[in-house]
Amino acid sequence: MDQLLVRAVAHKTVPFSQHKGGGFPCSRSSYNLQIVPTLTDMVDPDAPCPTRHALDASVNPASAPSRRRRLRPGKFGNRNRRPITNGNAPAARRRRTIRAIARSQPPSSRRGHASLLPRPFIPTEPASELQTYLPPVAGHGSPPRLQMELRTCAAPSSASLSSGRGAVPSSRLLSRQIWSRSAYCTVSSTSSSPVARRSRFSTLMATAYNTGTPDLADFNWDALGFQLIPTDFMYLMSCSSEGVFTNGKLVPYGPIELNPAAAVLNYGQGLLEGLRAHRKEDGSILLFRPHENALRMKTGADRLCMPAPSVEQFLEAVKLTVLANKHWVPPFGKGSLYIRPQLIGSGAILGVAPAPQYTFIVFVCPVGHYFKDGLSPISLLTEEEYHRAAPGGTGDIKTIGNYASVVSAQRRAKEKGHSDVLYLDPIHNKFVEEVSSCNIFMVKDNVISTPLLTGTILPGITRRSVIEISQNLGFQVEERPITIDELLGADEVFCTGTAVVVSPVGSITYRGRRVEYGKNQEAGAVSQQLYAAFTAIQKGVTEDRMGWTLQLA
């Protein structure tokens, strides 16, 4: 038993009673137990380990607290007396086991049965760093501890128990992080060898490889595109019928539970936002104009009769989510962390009416370029049959229904080899409005023009930023109605948006006529200049004189 630890696991394994070395005070139906090798050179013998204490008690009953058992007469008198187990025998033994484990822990760590038999937790970073970038969660006092369980992709290699080392995980590790409110632990590390990491109540040790960049996940950042990559945490906050958002918290990223009668599922009562976080050359993280996203969500919420989180709550949720997924922020120049706040009517309702309950969600995902060709000029197909929005509708807010309606036209355009769809106004069918997910600009005789906001066009935050940057660079900027004929005669065309940033347009097809911009399908000089100036502020390369960025760490 000196070379073995026993860990309670949820999946089915061989019961411990079938192994050599004796039994454990629970039946097969109570717990399934798994034998794992002990890394004795990594274990602090003085550190409290509740499961080990319970094993000591099972091997040496004298070490366990004494307990007088009540007896009842047997069938044939006192010869066959048996203990009273208060009902189900396995359940009673399980309760006694849990109580014995609880008594073996320090009083300050007795937080209920859920923490008595923990999974193996491995902290991602030393406590000092966690305390630096994890601010307290509102209503929960001190920040929780971020811990990680490492699981290998391939089968672990065998190792001798006598050597004191268990199976060494492969260099490609998968991480699953969870929050624990136990006390912070310390991590010892060396720069030239694998790092031994363990949590205070861990029953399984593992070897984590020190890549030299503890803030980055093990990922091929050079192959990063614009697709969903699940990260570790997301943020949830609910709203009662009084319209007040409270009890925001970080939870592991994953599915959420919704009633089939939820307003967002039946009537599309939902909003979304999009913003980015970039890593600077010094490793710190910048948010770009998150305050504007919070204000735009409040505007959209008023239009859809939804309560919205305050600007402060919005910013706090974004900060916590980014910092909890800090190692998923790509390296400098390799991409960014896309942040997706959502506000949905999660309450159940049958008739058409505002939902009785709302949920605010924030999740993040590392992304690269939105279009598959990167910064190469894109091709647009002008849509005449379908329209994105109508006057008096919801085209000027970021509601989820605005994007579902463009999927059909977008798919048809991509089947014909185009990158996206250009929409015209629904009344005259000749004035340019916007692309599926971004605003559009044109350049003619060194004058930059963009369609006027008339209630059917989304007031993009990138659009407004590009207008201000253009004016600072000395360009004349006009916001006015633009016909499709004017756009086809422009010197240069480009799109702007959170996802696309500043994307040059190489060609536009209208009624079978294809018009190309630039020489050899290269980006125009103005769009290149604006892209460089805009991304330099986003990434912290130049001084932010506009006050747009917010540094986190």
Side-chain angles (χ1 to χ4, degrees):
M1 293 301 296
D2 293 338
Q3 299 294 333
L4 297 176
L5 287 179
V6 177
R7 174 165 63 94
V9 294
H11 58 277
K12 185 176 181 180
T13 57
V14 179
F16 181 74
S17 57
Q18 297 181 11
H19 292 275
K20 295 182 180 181
F24 190 74
C26 64
S27 68
R28 298 182 185 181
S29 61
S30 301
Y31 286 99
N32 287 324
L33 302 175
Q34 180 182 7
I35 303 294
V36 296
T38 304
L39 308 184
T40 55
D41 60 332
M42 298 183 184
V43 177
D44 181 5
D46 298 325
C49 185
T51 309
R52 182 182 294 177
H53 285 227
L55 280 177
D56 294 340
S58 67
V59 176
N60 182 15
S63 64
S66 61
R67 177 182 295 276
R68 296 185 62 183
R69 298 188 296 176
R70 294 180 294 157
L71 302 178
R72 61 187 177 191
K75 184 175 181 181
F76 302 101
N78 292 338
R79 291 182 303 168
N80 297 324
R81 291 185 301 174
R82 55 191 185 278
I84 298 176
T85 59
N86 295 327
N88 183 279
R93 283 194 291 272
R94 181 164 62 249
R95 287 194 296 270
R96 290 199 299 273
T97 302
I98 292 177
R99 285 195 292 267
I101 295 174
R103 284 193 297 272
S104 69
Q105 297 187 69
S108 62
S109 64
R110 300 178 187 177
R111 300 182 182 272
H113 293 170
S115 63
L116 298 182
L117 294 172
R119 294 185 180 185
F121 303 142
I122 300 177
T124 58
E125 299 182 22
S128 59
E129 290 192 43
L130 291 174
Q131 290 172 332
T132 299
Y133 72 79
L134 286 180
V137 181
H140 294 283
S142 60
R145 181 179 57 175
L146 184 62
Q147 298 175 318
M148 178 183 287
E149 176 181 349
L150 297 181
R151 297 169 290 145
T152 58
C153 293
S157 60
S158 59
S160 173
L161 291 177
S162 60
S163 66
R165 293 187 179 273
V168 178
S170 66
S171 58
R172 176 68 172 94
L173 297 174
L174 298 178
S175 65
R176 182 171 61 83
Q177 298 184 338
I178 60 177
W179 288 103
S180 172
R181 296 192 179 280
S182 54
Y184 285 96
C185 67
T186 58
V187 180
S188 60
S189 62
T190 60
S191 58
S192 59
S193 62
V195 182
R197 300 182 179 181
R198 72 184 293 262
S199 73
R200 184 180 177 189
F201 299 117
S202 177
T203 58
L204 174 66
M205 304 303 110
T207 300
Y209 286 85
N210 186 354
T211 62
T213 312
D215 285 344
L216 292 179
D218 183 10
F219 187 81
N220 183 11
W221 301 108
D222 293 326
L224 189 61
F226 202 95
Q227 65 275 341
L228 180 64
I229 299 174
T231 51
D232 299 310
F233 291 97
M234 62 183 184
Y235 185 91
L236 294 178
M237 183 166 56
S238 59
C239 171
S240 62
S241 57
E242 289 78 16
V244 179
F245 281 89
T246 55
N247 300 326
K249 59 183 178 181
L250 287 166
V251 298
Y253 177 86
I256 62 174
E257 184 176 345
L258 278 179
N259 191 299
V264 66
L265 299 179
N266 291 267
Y267 306 116
Q269 194 181 24
L271 294 165
L272 58 86
E273 278 295 330
L275 62 156
R276 291 180 182 246
H278 289 82
R279 190 181 295 273
K280 296 175 61 178
E281 289 184 290
D282 62 3
S284 60
I285 298 173
L286 289 179
L287 297 178
F288 185 77
R289 308 192 77 172
H291 186 270
E292 297 297 328
N293 294 92
L295 294 176
R296 188 169 64 180
M297 175 168 279
K298 289 181 68 68
T299 302
D302 291 339
R303 176 67 175 83
L304 298 184
C305 293
M306 304 170 69
S310 65
V311 174
E312 292 74 18
Q313 289 175 319
F314 184 99
L315 296 178
E316 184 69 11
V318 169
K319 292 177 186 177
L320 286 175
T321 309
V322 172
L323 291 174
N325 297 281
K326 181 179 180 181
H327 58 289
W328 285 107
V329 181
F332 175 79
K334 298 292 186 179
S336 62
L337 189 70
Y338 191 83
I339 307 165
R340 173 52 59 81
Q342 297 171 307
L343 180 61
I344 62 173
S346 54
I349 192 167
L350 186 59
V352 180
Q357 184 179 1
Y358 298 88
T359 302
F360 177 61
I361 308 168
V362 182
F363 71 90
V364 296
C365 173
V367 297
H369 297 300
Y370 182 78
F371 295 109
K372 63 179 181 179
D373 295 328
L375 291 178
S376 300
I378 62 175
S379 172
L380 299 180
L381 175 64
T382 306
E383 177 61 44
E384 296 184 83
E385 181 180 357
Y386 298 113
H387 298 279
R388 177 187 170 275
T394 57
D396 59 343
I397 63 173
K398 211 168 174 64
T399 179
I400 58 178
N402 289 350
Y403 298 90
S405 62
V406 305
V407 174
S408 176
Q410 189 181 59
R411 183 176 63 179
R412 285 188 297 138
K414 291 186 176 182
E415 289 175 351
K416 296 179 180 179
H418 300 282
S419 306
D420 214 327
V421 177
L422 174 65
Y423 289 92
L424 304 178
D425 76 288
I427 298 178
H428 304 93
N429 206 34
K430 69 174 184 178
F431 291 103
V432 175
E433 292 213 323
E434 62 177 286
V435 186
S436 299
S437 59
C438 48
N439 299 113
I440 193 164
F441 287 75
M442 61 169 277
V443 182
K444 184 67 174 179
D445 298 330
N446 217 33
V447 176
I448 300 176
S449 303
T450 188
L452 180 68
L453 300 179
T454 57
T456 57
I457 299 173
L458 183 71
I461 297 172
T462 306
R463 172 187 180 274
R464 186 191 309 175
S465 303
V466 168
I467 290 175
E468 296 182 38
I469 291 175
S470 301
Q471 293 172 339
N472 292 339
L473 293 176
F475 289 99
Q476 178 183 345
V477 181
E478 298 178 345
E479 294 183 73
R480 61 178 179 84
I482 300 174
T483 65
I484 182 64
D485 293 329
E486 285 185 274
L487 189 69
L488 296 177
D491 300 330
E492 187 176 338
V493 178
F494 60 89
C495 299
T496 64
T498 300
V500 305
V501 192
V502 178
S503 293
V505 175
S507 68
I508 296 178
T509 300
Y510 175 63
R511 294 182 177 179
R513 174 191 172 194
R514 178 185 173 94
V515 176
E516 296 185 354
Y517 303 93
K519 297 179 180 180
N520 301 322
Q521 289 292 298
E522 295 180 354
V526 176
S527 58
Q528 289 189 43
Q529 184 179 1
L530 293 176
Y531 175 83
F534 181 79
T535 55
I537 297 176
Q538 274 191 323
K539 300 175 183 179
V541 176
T542 60
E543 181 183 358
D544 178 18
R545 299 179 180 178
M546 314 293 290
W548 289 345
T549 58
L550 176 63
Q551 183 163 322
L552 297 186

